[in-house]
Amino acid sequence: MNVAEVVVVTCLKQLGAKRVYGLIGTTILDFVNASKDSGIRYVSTRHEQVAVSMADAEGRMTGAPGVAAVHGGPGFLNSLISVANAHKDISPLLLISGAVKRRLAGLDSWLEVPQRDIIRPIVKAVYRIDKPLEAARVIAEAYSVAASQPQGPVFVEVPEDVWSMPSEFPGCEAKITPPPTVPPDGVKQVVELLRRSRRLVILAGGGVNNAEGAALLLKVAERWRIPIAVTGNGRWAFPEDHPLFLGRAGFGGGNPVADQALLRADLVLAVGAGLSDTTTYGYNYVPRGDVVVVNLDPMAEKRPVPYTLRFYADAVDFLRELASFDFQYSPAEEWFKEIEEVRAGWNSHLQVALSRRYEGFVNPSKFFRQLDEALPRGFVMVGGQGMHIVYTFSFVRVRSARGYLAAFNLGAMGFAFPAALGAKLAAPERDVYAVIGDGEFMMTVQDLETAVREKIPVKIIVINDNSYRVLYARQKAQKMGRVFGTLHANPDFVKLAEAFGVEAMSIGRDEDIPKAVEFVTEPGLRLLELGISPDDFPPMNIEAALRF
């Protein structure tokens, strides 16, 4: 066998990879050729950012590294935003890139850029296969590093001439490094704080985003009647139709119920979550009480948060240990009354948003409220970046693990549609919805062709306000109404979708919401466009957001 056959046909397959996402180029031609009869599905995309975001989404859905392969130089550079998304959100990803032939390396050759130097700050590890007999070992090690907690992207570079060189396959086994755990005396310390607390809140994040973590969190919350707030990456860690659920906390979609609970609690227990700038609105909403953090976050110690206890440890293991403790916890009834008072005010705010009516536009709050009522329990929603994502926080309840994905911690546009494609391939039994703004959709719209060719039946909801609305709103509010560079025109999205072979619908009034909900929830690949006013403002904790 040659290196390409060792890497694709044997090693990746033995490691459990089912798909490789990519875009062909001369430096990975042999790799792609080896994929053809390998039993691993090669998904060809129209842009490298799309390929790597699809692999990233597969990693988020399955917990195992998604695999992408890109052409050296330009293809590699096109992938970097998606790699950074995975890095910031701690998503397992294996990126394999071609490179110039070894004899041309270091000569400023055609296609050559310093790939390893460029990508090193945003990956867990960097590898290069120069010796053909080391191919299997390198791939196995890279995959293992990506899969080990804290997970993240890993990069492997292979020169073009190495792919076709003879190699051997000594075996390919993943060796996952177990994450550190909270010491027994540490769990006892936390339990002692819990016993004394009367106004407790758990903040759940991406570190408990798997099935076991979600089940343990539910068990702990119900056993001791603990309110639950979530970060963006924690949205799928707790059923959002549960009475103990407070909502998402933090900038970009947090609500006052969760935000105020964290601020006023006498103890915040953050599991698999950190108190970052987004969670605390630029460290302006730091909890006033005790703070305990259990998370695999090496940056935690640098953040300006007064921790009572902080453990660099696996949050799922911590919940497992906590659930085994037998102790009494008695929350103050006044605490729940206080939370419900804030919730009542928030619900009134939601009702105001639902009551709005626009001539020639849809009220997006009304649409997402009705969509929520029609969604099956096991749906997956992928949110884009922009003001439209806030509607999905306010009106869509995520009710199953791994039910919501977004590029939360980098905030990059271009993730939602590709990630929805990857999520659907990873979980074909679940309905997958991409909720995306018109500006972001135009960045990846070419891969409607990929969705059609690969028969990936996702639902695409385009929120069209003909603007970059976050910046448009800031210009109106903070720049004396000087609107510049934030308004644009769009193609006819229905005709554009139909040109690719996608069934599509567009609505521009509230009366059409019921038929639009019916249309987008039916089986098959579908695109729905909502024409909305750029002046509609979604419900959010505006007082806190202005302090960010």
Side-chain angles (χ1 to χ4, degrees):
M1 292 191 295
N2 62 29
V3 168
E5 291 166 337
V6 165
V7 170
V8 183
V9 180
T10 53
C11 198
L12 288 176
K13 192 171 183 179
Q14 190 172 99
L15 289 167
K18 296 179 173 60
R19 284 162 292 272
V20 172
Y21 305 91
L23 198 160
I24 199 167
T26 55
T27 61
I28 58 167
L29 180 60
D30 289 311
F31 175 91
V32 175
N33 283 348
S35 302
K36 181 172 176 56
D37 301 312
S38 66
I40 293 178
R41 181 176 178 180
Y42 176 72
V43 181
S44 176
T45 66
R46 308 305 295 268
H47 194 283
E48 290 85 359
Q49 181 180 359
V50 171
V52 181
S53 286
M54 290 178 74
D56 177 4
E58 179 168 319
R60 297 179 193 226
M61 292 298 296
T62 65
V67 183
V70 298
H71 178 38
F76 161 83
L77 293 171
N78 276 344
S79 73
L80 290 177
I81 288 177
S82 299
V83 175
N85 282 333
H87 168 69
K88 295 281 281 185
D89 287 332
I90 316 178
S91 174
L93 170 72
L94 176 60
L95 176 63
I96 300 171
S97 174
V100 299
K101 296 175 181 177
R102 290 174 298 173
R103 64 182 175 82
L104 300 176
L107 302 177
D108 193 24
S109 301
W110 184 62
L111 300 176
E112 186 179 23
V113 293
Q115 296 180 161
R116 286 169 288 160
D117 293 337
I118 290 170
I119 204 170
R120 199 179 304 276
I122 56 172
V123 294
K124 289 184 68 178
V126 170
Y127 296 89
R128 177 178 167 93
I129 299 176
D130 272 319
K131 299 177 180 179
L133 295 180
E134 294 185 353
R137 179 193 62 78
V138 169
I139 293 297
E141 184 175 330
Y143 187 95
S144 300
V145 171
S148 297
Q149 298 284 356
Q151 296 182 322
V154 172
F155 177 66
V156 177
E157 179 182 81
V158 186
E160 179 183 346
D161 56 314
V162 171
W163 289 116
S164 60
M165 298 182 70
S167 187
E168 295 178 355
F169 181 62
C172 228
E173 180 183 355
K175 297 179 180 179
I176 310 301
T177 303
T181 59
V182 176
D185 63 327
V187 179
K188 291 178 181 178
Q189 287 179 283
V190 175
V191 169
E192 187 56 37
L193 286 172
L194 293 177
R195 282 198 184 104
R196 298 201 302 262
S197 170
R198 293 296 176 265
R199 300 160 62 88
L200 170 63
V201 172
I202 289 180
L203 176 66
V208 291
N209 68 354
N210 53 53
E212 184 184 8
L216 286 167
L217 182 63
L218 181 62
K219 179 180 179 180
V220 166
E222 291 184 336
R223 180 177 175 185
W224 287 293
R225 198 179 167 213
I226 304 172
I228 304 294
V230 296
T231 65
N233 280 322
R235 275 208 74 187
W236 54 87
F238 196 80
E240 297 186 359
D241 55 354
H242 196 285
L244 288 170
F245 181 68
L246 303 177
R248 188 204 155 181
F251 179 77
N255 71 51
V257 187
D259 291 334
Q260 287 295 325
L262 291 178
L263 194 63
R264 303 179 189 183
D266 63 9
L267 174 60
V268 173
L269 174 58
V271 288
L275 292 171
S276 67
D277 60 323
T278 53
T279 310
T280 62
Y281 295 91
Y283 303 106
N284 288 305
Y285 259 57
V286 176
R288 300 165 183 165
D290 289 324
V291 175
V292 176
V293 171
V294 183
N295 193 23
L296 292 168
D297 180 9
M299 292 295 293
E301 63 182 15
K302 297 184 178 181
R303 297 196 170 113
V305 176
Y307 303 107
T308 308
L309 294 171
R310 182 176 64 81
F311 300 100
Y312 182 80
D314 179 26
V316 175
D317 179 76
F318 169 77
L319 286 178
R320 194 183 303 121
E321 292 297 320
L322 181 63
S324 69
F325 265 77
D326 184 15
F327 66 94
Q328 295 297 316
Y329 168 68
S330 300
E333 288 304 318
E334 291 78 10
W335 178 227
F336 289 97
K337 290 178 182 178
E338 190 174 332
I339 289 172
E340 290 309 311
E341 287 176 3
V342 180
R343 196 194 302 272
W346 173 242
N347 287 339
S348 296
H349 191 50
L350 296 181
Q351 288 304 314
V352 170
L354 289 165
S355 69
R356 296 175 190 147
R357 189 171 183 85
Y358 299 95
E359 188 66 32
F361 295 112
V362 177
N363 180 341
S365 297
K366 286 183 180 178
F367 170 80
F368 282 104
R369 169 59 62 85
Q370 293 187 35
L371 177 66
D372 174 70
E373 294 169 354
L375 288 171
R377 190 168 190 86
F379 74 89
V380 178
M381 185 166 284
V382 187
Q385 290 299 313
M387 200 172 287
H388 65 277
I389 195 176
V390 180
Y391 298 109
T392 69
F393 297 145
S394 299
F395 297 107
V396 176
R397 295 165 297 171
V398 180
R399 287 156 278 185
S400 59
R402 303 183 191 273
Y404 199 97
L405 310 179
F408 283 109
N409 289 312
L410 183 64
M413 292 197 290
F415 175 81
F417 175 43
L421 298 177
K424 183 62 177 178
L425 289 177
E429 74 285 357
R430 300 175 72 173
D431 291 339
V432 179
Y433 294 80
V435 179
I436 185 169
D438 55 303
E440 179 172 351
F441 188 47
M442 290 295 289
M443 297 178 179
T444 56
V445 68
Q446 74 283 336
D447 275 86
L448 282 173
E449 189 276 331
T450 300
V452 172
R453 168 172 36 84
E454 295 288 340
K455 298 180 175 59
I456 310 175
V458 298
K459 324 292 185 179
I460 307 160
I461 302 173
V462 181
I463 314 301
N464 184 7
D465 51 33
N466 290 290
S467 68
Y468 297 115
R469 188 157 42 126
V470 172
L471 285 308
Y472 169 80
R474 292 189 65 171
Q475 286 176 332
K476 293 193 73 174
Q478 298 174 331
K479 302 299 179 184
M480 302 176 64
R482 289 168 55 86
V483 175
F484 181 72
T486 52
L487 298 176
H488 51 246
N490 281 310
D492 184 320
F493 283 116
V494 171
K495 289 182 179 178
L496 181 60
E498 290 175 344
F500 281 102
V502 177
E503 193 172 353
M505 172 189 284
S506 179
I507 63 170
R509 58 178 194 158
D510 292 347
E511 289 77 10
D512 292 330
I513 290 176
K515 71 176 183 181
V517 170
E518 181 180 0
F519 169 80
V520 81
T521 54
E522 289 179 352
L525 173 60
R526 290 167 178 261
L527 182 146
L528 173 66
E529 176 193 19
L530 304 184
I532 74 165
S533 168
D535 294 313
D536 186 72
F537 207 80
M540 66 174 68
N541 188 352
I542 187 64
E543 185 274 332
L546 289 174
R547 297 174 66 183
F548 186 78

